[in-house]
Amino acid sequence: MFKIGVDLGGTNIAIGLLNEDNEIIQKDSIPTDAHRENDLIIEDIANLCKKIMADSNICEEDISSIGIGSPGTCNISEGIIINAFNLGFENLNLKEELNKYFANMRVFVGNDADVAAYGECKMGSGKGCSSVVMITLGTGLGGGVIIDNKIINGSYNCGGEMGHMTLSVGGKKCSCGRNGCWEVYSSATGLINMGVDKCAKDKDSQLYKYFEENGKLNGKVIFDLAKAGDETSLSVLDEYIMYLSEGVSSMINLLEPEVFIIGGGISGQGDYLLEPLKIEVNKRVFGGSNSTEIKIATLGNDAGIIGAAMLEEMF
Amino acid sequence: MFKIGVDLGGTNIAIGLLNEDNEIIQKDSIPTDAHRENDLIIEDIANLCKKIMADSNICEEDISSIGIGSPGTCNISEGIIINAFNLGFENLNLKEELNKYFANMRVFVGNDADVAAYGECKMGSGKGCSSVVMITLGTGLGGGVIIDNKIINGSYNCGGEMGHMTLSVGGKKCSCGRNGCWEVYSSATGLINMGVDKCAKDKDSQLYKYFEENGKLNGKVIFDLAKAGDETSLSVLDEYIMYLSEGVSSMINLLEPEVFIIGGGISGQGDYLLEPLKIEVNKRVFGGSNSTEIKIATLGNDAGIIGAAMLEEMF
């Protein structure tokens, strides 16, 4: 049997067809055009699923399920998007809706960060493991927890918000309205803010020079200048990695997954991020001995499609 | 069938016999005398199990399993205590050892805090729930996580150390050697330290008066003086509850259990602790809506016996 994974984003809808080895054998995408009526978005998803099947000469009977990764809060087993504000979805029974196009098809819907973590657990850096925590370091800090091959998304589908665990009581302001959330320190935005703060205090630095010329910083320039030896950039990364290690070791102290996976834009730095992070985490894990492997995500944007398609394995 | 639960502590070994309704129908205890040889402690456990069976006219064939809650790191399903330093146990196969006294008996061994959380989940404040987080506010901050009726103790049996999640990076020194652990702020020790700090700055307070007369504080006196209207004590509790709410809401944001249970000495304050805590947690839960019930533990010291006896239900 084949299966379909849908990565339903605010900008694009990417859909992939997986074979029995859970490899993507066909992939396509269309713009989401999120401001449309729900029905039109759903119709586009259904039509793109049909197109992909046709392109691969696969018929509906060969598909075991359609899995969707969506922003927001989802009831995985019932295929319901409880709310996804940026898509205008509220209590949308996507299983029922897709069953209008594909009668009796099994449909599962998970939160996009959870689903990406599930994909990495099943086919990426966590392959072969049953217990994985993944964080995605981008504009925000998202992530997912997989224990015993199941997504842990809370008793009422609102769990997994690790970016909004407190890392520093009364600390820097978070976009959620609270202070000191992990996201404030460990997202790419957090890195950039640390860079801006530090370079303003060291106007001889290369980092300040860049900031002055461009009026802003980005994550990559901080890494690039650190690699080129700029002391201020190195000190920004030291601070960034220290905070990141506090969050990662907290999660290991609580959940001790087999693998802790780092994804998102910043994870593109690979070993340059990973090696010092491991050292800092190992200092902080309770009892002095860390058995959890820390790895960089490997599936990139495909994690969402693969994880969505594989949701059926949770049931 | 009946089952036996053993609460193996550093001071006492408490053992209970549970009927089919999971009620303790017989209970007894002996001193642990932890500095003895392992064999002697195990012999005492076995003999007390036998005594309890005899006292209840129950024979070995009527017992479905023996469950043990032990300090330290345990492999639940294999019945092994990996290490329990204060008992001098290291890689002790308690299942094998007890099988010398009770041939073929099923034996399960869990960490004491996990097992107490499991007991509260099954028969206490979490009865009827499959997903519970419990913290114990005593000298330290221990706790356990139950998801889908299973103890989550990590891939290598070292998880569940929620007292050593970071609540405040670079914050107050913790006994574990790190800074800013949740335990530093929310244990009874943390409360007392907050009291000592605050009353030293307000020498007109009733709290300082108590401190001066007795040379020390305890948790109860802080609550008692707060109830009597002492402003300093009230301010200590405000700070204490604020920190506690940061930790509790972090756990809810991550795991969103059906019930979050507060146990340990400080939980004896009941609603006086619980009501302001709920208000502070509700302010902090991500998305502005908290579905997790927060409750005080109800089983007291029996949680360990009941949870240990019921470990068999995990398999």
Side-chain angles (χ1 to χ4, degrees):
Chain A
M1 294 290 275
F2 297 81
K3 41 189 172 282
I4 287 177
V6 180
D7 182 1
L8 171 56
T11 310
N12 287 301
I13 301 167
I15 305 189
L17 180 73
L18 271 66
N19 64 15
E20 290 195 344
D21 294 327
N22 298 309
E23 297 156 344
I24 297 177
I25 54 166
Q26 190 82 30
K27 197 162 72 167
D28 209 335
S29 75
I30 45 169
T32 309
D33 200 357
H35 298 290
R36 295 180 291 167
E37 293 283 315
N38 293 356
D39 285 354
L40 298 175
I41 298 177
I42 295 160
E43 193 182 354
D44 270 4
I45 294 174
N47 286 337
L48 193 58
C49 288
K50 284 181 180 168
K51 177 176 184 297
I52 281 179
M53 288 186 224
D55 290 348
S56 315
N57 288 315
I58 302 285
C59 60
E60 208 178 310
E61 289 66 38
D62 298 322
I63 304 291
S64 58
S65 70
I66 300 175
I68 297 111
S70 162
T73 310
C74 304
N75 183 318
I76 303 173
S77 58
E78 298 188 21
I80 294 171
I81 300 179
I82 298 168
N83 59 56
F85 297 120
N86 56 349
L87 297 174
F89 290 171
E90 209 181 320
N91 285 316
L92 178 73
N93 191 323
L94 204 50
K95 178 176 163 46
E96 250 175 46
E97 294 299 323
L98 284 175
N99 278 175
K100 292 177 187 166
Y101 300 89
F102 307 100
N104 303 317
M105 180 70 75
R106 296 169 79 201
V107 175
F108 305 101
V109 183
N111 168 273
D112 48 8
D114 287 341
V115 160
Y118 192 67
E120 283 287 343
C121 176
K122 287 289 174 184
M123 296 300 291
S125 291
K127 194 172 174 179
C129 298
S130 61
S131 162
V132 157
V133 174
M134 175 172 165
I135 55 171
T136 303
L137 307 177
T139 310
L141 189 162
V145 175
I146 318 294
I147 297 176
D148 283 345
N149 288 305
K150 288 209 158 62
I151 293 172
I152 303 299
N153 69 336
S155 300
Y156 309 99
N157 306 299
C158 293
E161 290 293 347
M162 60 197 80
H164 300 282
M165 300 175 72
T166 305
L167 198 63
S168 199
V169 171
K172 292 185 190 176
K173 192 83 182 168
C174 181
S175 60
C176 77
R178 289 176 60 210
N179 292 73
C181 295
W182 188 10
E183 173 165 300
V184 185
Y185 300 95
S186 297
S187 62
T189 315
L191 171 63
I192 292 165
N193 288 339
M194 281 177 198
V196 172
D197 287 353
K198 269 206 200 274
C199 79
K201 289 175 195 144
D202 186 4
K203 299 194 172 170
D204 293 332
S205 65
Q206 291 298 310
L207 193 62
Y208 183 74
K209 199 175 155 202
Y210 182 96
F211 179 64
E212 214 183 12
E213 281 167 10
N214 296 275
K216 60 184 179 182
L217 294 179
N218 58 60
K220 187 170 177 301
V221 76
I222 298 172
F223 276 96
D224 286 348
L225 289 175
K227 287 172 192 168
D230 177 57
E231 288 294 334
T232 302
S233 302
L234 283 163
S235 142
V236 172
L237 285 188
D238 281 351
E239 186 182 347
Y240 177 77
I241 288 168
M242 182 276 288
Y243 275 103
L244 183 57
S245 74
E246 290 276 350
V248 173
S249 52
S250 288
M251 294 295 292
I252 293 174
N253 288 342
L254 180 66
L255 297 174
E256 201 196 33
E258 286 169 84
V259 181
F260 193 104
I261 301 174
I262 317 270
I266 288 190
S267 73
Q269 296 295 331
D271 283 348
Y272 194 80
L273 173 75
L274 196 60
E275 293 308 321
L277 178 65
K278 283 181 184 173
I279 292 169
E280 294 304 313
V281 169
N282 288 342
K283 285 182 198 169
R284 287 169 171 84
V285 169
F286 186 70
S289 157
N290 175 29
S291 305
T292 299
E293 260 196 284
I294 307 176
K295 290 183 168 181
I296 299 289
T298 52
L299 298 180
N301 291 332
D302 287 345
I305 290 175
I306 294 170
M310 295 182 77
L311 284 176
E312 61 171 46
E313 297 197 358
M314 271 177 56
F315 301 96
Chain B
M1 295 291 275
F2 296 82
K3 42 190 170 280
I4 286 179
V6 180
D7 182 2
L8 172 56
T11 311
N12 286 303
I13 302 166
I15 304 189
L17 180 72
L18 270 66
N19 64 16
E20 290 194 343
D21 296 326
N22 297 309
E23 295 157 344
I24 298 178
I25 54 167
Q26 189 81 30
K27 197 161 73 168
D28 209 336
S29 74
I30 45 169
T32 309
D33 200 355
H35 299 290
R36 296 181 290 168
E37 293 282 316
N38 294 356
D39 285 354
L40 297 175
I41 297 178
I42 294 160
E43 190 180 356
D44 270 4
I45 293 174
N47 286 337
L48 193 58
C49 288
K50 284 182 181 167
K51 178 176 183 298
I52 281 178
M53 289 185 224
D55 289 347
S56 314
N57 288 315
I58 302 285
C59 61
E60 208 178 309
E61 288 68 37
D62 298 321
I63 304 290
S64 56
S65 71
I66 299 175
I68 296 112
S70 162
T73 310
C74 304
N75 183 317
I76 302 174
S77 58
E78 297 188 22
I80 294 171
I81 300 179
I82 298 166
N83 59 57
F85 297 120
N86 56 349
L87 297 174
F89 289 170
E90 210 181 319
N91 285 316
L92 178 74
N93 191 322
L94 205 49
K95 177 175 164 46
E96 250 174 46
E97 293 300 323
L98 284 175
N99 278 173
K100 293 177 186 166
Y101 299 89
F102 307 99
N104 303 318
M105 180 69 75
R106 296 168 78 202
V107 175
F108 305 100
V109 183
N111 168 273
D112 48 8
D114 287 342
V115 160
Y118 191 66
E120 284 287 344
C121 175
K122 287 289 174 184
M123 297 299 291
S125 290
K127 194 173 174 178
C129 298
S130 61
S131 160
V132 157
V133 174
M134 176 171 166
I135 55 171
T136 303
L137 307 177
T139 310
L141 189 161
V145 175
I146 317 295
I147 296 176
D148 283 343
N149 288 305
K150 289 209 159 59
I151 293 172
I152 303 299
N153 70 336
S155 301
Y156 309 98
N157 307 298
C158 293
E161 289 294 348
M162 60 196 79
H164 300 284
M165 299 174 74
T166 305
L167 198 64
S168 200
V169 170
K172 292 184 189 175
K173 192 84 184 168
C174 180
S175 61
C176 77
R178 288 176 60 211
N179 291 74
C181 294
W182 188 10
E183 173 166 300
V184 185
Y185 300 95
S186 297
S187 62
T189 315
L191 172 63
I192 293 164
N193 289 339
M194 281 177 196
V196 172
D197 287 352
K198 270 207 199 275
C199 79
K201 290 174 195 145
D202 185 5
K203 299 194 171 171
D204 293 333
S205 65
Q206 291 297 312
L207 193 62
Y208 183 74
K209 200 174 155 203
Y210 181 96
F211 178 64
E212 214 183 13
E213 281 168 9
N214 297 275
K216 61 183 178 182
L217 294 179
N218 58 61
K220 188 171 178 300
V221 76
I222 298 171
F223 277 96
D224 286 347
L225 289 174
K227 288 171 192 167
D230 178 56
E231 289 293 335
T232 302
S233 302
L234 283 163
S235 140
V236 172
L237 285 188
D238 281 351
E239 185 183 348
Y240 178 77
I241 288 169
M242 182 277 288
Y243 275 102
L244 182 57
S245 74
E246 290 276 350
V248 173
S249 52
S250 288
M251 294 294 292
I252 293 174
N253 288 343
L254 180 67
L255 297 175
E256 201 197 33
E258 286 170 85
V259 181
F260 193 103
I261 301 173
I262 317 269
I266 288 189
S267 73
Q269 296 295 331
D271 283 348
Y272 194 81
L273 173 76
L274 195 61
E275 294 308 321
L277 177 64
K278 283 181 183 172
I279 292 169
E280 294 304 313
V281 169
N282 288 343
K283 285 182 198 170
R284 287 169 171 82
V285 169
F286 185 70
S289 157
N290 174 29
S291 305
T292 299
E293 261 195 284
I294 307 175
K295 291 182 168 182
I296 298 288
T298 52
L299 299 180
N301 291 333
D302 286 346
I305 290 174
I306 294 171
M310 295 182 77
L311 284 176
E312 61 171 49
E313 297 197 358
M314 271 177 58
F315 300 95

